[in-house]
Amino acid sequence: MPPHLSADRPASQPPERDAAGAPGAVGAVDALIHRTLRLRGDVDAVRRETVQIDEDDPQQRWQRALCDLAVHQLDDLGAQLGQLKEGLPPQAAEHAERSAAADRTGPETPSDDGPGSPVGRVGSAEWNLLTDEVSWSGELLRIFGRTAAAGPLSLDELPSALLPDDQPLLTALVTDCLVDGKPIDGEFRIVLPDGRTRTLHMRGEPVLDADGCTASMWAVMRDVSALRRSRQAVRRTHDTFRRQQDIAQAERRVAKDLQEAVLPPWRGSLRLPEQGPGALDIAAHYLPSESGALIGGGWYDAMDLPDGRTLLTVGDLTGHGIRATSAMTMILGALRGMAVAGIAPAALMGHLNHLLETSVQPALGSAVCCRFDPATRVLEWAQAGHPAPLLFRNGTGRPVPPPDGILLGAAPGAAYEQDELRLLPGDVLVLHTDGLARDGGSAERGLRPGMDTLLGLAPRFARARSAQECVRAVVEQFGGTERMDDASVLVVRIPV
């Protein structure tokens, strides 16, 4: 091997390294691309040196063919490294590895140089058109699965070793070479004596006599079975990943549309009841998860009841996507119907628990349900494994002691307690789902993580002139927080 082709020569640019001293992923790939380009240039230089060769010398023709093949392989490698640099998602790369492993057990015969190796064996052949002599290297005989006793195949016999679909291609390549003097560069699949197949890349040229007529044809054949399987695995993985992305985006659109169709259509502040004195000032907001791709089963709602009272509720179901939003649609519809029928919060929770527990698609959920009487300012409420409402009064905030209640759908026949709370003019009541204040804060006082931050908004709530201003303060505090789950918040101000 010439000195300038030495594989031990270090690259001029060392790869990037991470904090542990190991090559970084990007730096390592960049270094490989750099080495590949330099090696490709070196091989191309050797190939240029062999342009003027003695066509009658099989060894020189063989060397030139190997240079052409090496350049072709390095071009393939450069393209693959470029794709690697662009990067596939971890799950796609893992799937590609599994697909390649599965393909190696398929009908194609792996090369003998190692399972899954992209560099297959190489053999040579020459057909003398004047003497009908055929010369194959021993490696080419092994690639075709032929013994020395069986010998090589003539040009007329060669197509019979191919799959029927590939025979016309080989015939056309050989005809163009012998008749028009065109070089051969193509791929086809051969059938081994045991019925298995291999994919070969064939490169060849005609050899002309002194009169310019074709005297013979030589060819180099490379087993590219593993390389093609790897490419197919990557292509299938990429296609599968794209389909999964498209499906996920479609499901997210449907879930988002379903959520928007079910949640209250009002934006900004809402006053309930709409008629009469003592109307509650209400505002709500939905905060998506960190990625924004996970639409959960959370809800908030406020509505007038036939007896003049007001329904206030916030809840969340496990899961994400269409399944969670469709279950939320069912629960919220049932909740509204039972509240309109006059069912008290505790009994309502029991019915919702039974509905979830017996549903075709069982799920778990947490919820808080409140019924406010504007005449007495009494709030009746019950909860099911949900964060208790926060009461802000006189510039300070605290969680309201919750009545007993387990998660919806957790146990059949579960009983739920109901409590009452008398609200005062100027009070602010905050109902929220668990995803809002799950991160940050302190749990030393038995509060949920992040609750200290939420309670710390008490001075701003005291200065606020509307429920919408309170919601804006919550969004400013928690809207930029990275959260694994979506969150809903409902703020109620008692009129002064």
Side-chain angles (χ1 to χ4, degrees), residues 101-444:
D103 284 341
R104 289 197 291 269
T105 64
E108 256 191 3
T109 305
S111 299
D112 293 342
D113 55 347
S117 172
V119 182
R121 297 173 301 168
V122 179
S124 62
E126 184 166 8
W127 294 270
N128 192 310
L129 304 182
L130 302 179
T131 64
D132 290 332
E133 292 179 337
V134 182
S135 174
W136 280 21
S137 67
E139 193 63 29
L140 188 58
L141 288 174
R142 286 188 286 272
I143 290 174
F144 274 76
R146 299 180 65 83
T147 64
L153 297 173
S154 66
L155 284 178
D156 293 333
E157 296 170 327
L158 186 60
S160 65
L162 275 63
L163 289 176
D165 290 345
D166 294 356
Q167 291 176 4
L169 171 63
L170 177 63
T171 300
L173 290 173
V174 172
T175 300
D176 289 343
C177 179
L178 298 181
V179 176
D180 299 327
K182 295 181 179 180
I184 293 176
D185 189 349
E187 289 187 9
F188 49 81
R189 293 163 297 172
I190 63 172
V191 182
L192 300 181
D194 60 8
R196 293 177 293 174
T197 63
R198 278 183 176 149
T199 301
L200 304 185
H201 187 124
M202 180 178 181
R203 296 175 63 87
E205 290 184 3
V207 178
L208 306 181
D209 59 16
D211 297 327
C213 298
T214 302
S216 64
M217 187 187 82
W218 62 265
V220 174
M221 300 189 199
R222 170 192 172 204
D223 181 358
V224 295
S225 303
L227 177 61
R228 296 301 170 254
R229 287 196 301 274
S230 298
R231 285 184 174 178
Q232 290 170 3
V234 171
R235 183 168 56 251
R236 286 196 299 269
T237 301
H238 182 264
D239 293 343
T240 300
F241 179 69
R242 288 295 299 273
R243 285 195 298 271
Q244 291 173 342
Q245 281 187 319
D246 293 341
I247 292 173
Q249 290 175 357
E251 289 183 347
R252 182 180 183 277
R253 286 194 298 269
V254 172
K256 188 174 178 16
D257 292 344
L258 184 59
Q259 182 191 59
E260 291 179 349
V262 174
L263 291 181
W266 42 269
R267 297 293 184 267
S269 292
L270 176 71
R271 298 187 67 82
L272 293 177
E274 295 181 0
Q275 304 296 330
L280 296 177
D281 181 15
I282 304 171
H285 191 80
Y286 170 80
L287 293 89
S289 63
E290 175 186 357
S291 66
L294 300 177
I295 303 297
W299 76 82
Y300 60 84
D301 198 14
M303 62 181 292
D304 278 334
L305 299 177
D307 59 7
R309 289 182 284 190
T310 300
L311 171 71
L312 305 168
T313 178
V314 165
D316 192 15
L317 296 181
T318 55
H320 298 89
I322 296 176
R323 180 172 179 176
T325 51
S326 61
M328 179 268 289
T329 301
M330 174 188 67
I331 288 294
L332 188 54
L335 191 154
R336 288 169 174 168
M338 287 186 284
V340 169
I343 297 178
L348 193 152
M349 287 295 177
H351 292 307
L352 291 183
N353 178 69
H354 178 73
L355 181 61
L356 267 185
E357 196 267 330
T358 59
S359 173
V360 176
Q361 295 181 339
L364 293 176
S366 68
V368 59
C369 181
C370 307
R371 189 169 61 179
F372 179 74
D373 187 343
T376 62
R377 291 200 178 97
V378 171
L379 184 82
E380 302 172 308
W381 74 288
Q383 65 85 29
H386 197 85
L390 303 181
L391 177 62
F392 293 83
R393 178 179 291 172
N394 299 325
T396 61
R398 63 177 177 85
V400 180
D404 288 340
I406 65 173
L407 287 171
L408 298 175
Y416 294 86
E417 293 185 354
Q418 180 171 306
D419 276 354
E420 291 185 356
L421 174 67
R422 185 175 297 276
L423 299 177
L424 302 179
D427 284 350
V428 174
L429 193 68
V430 176
L431 282 63
H432 65 90
T433 57
D434 187 53
L436 178 67
R438 182 177 296 163
D439 302 319
S442 170
E444 293 181 359

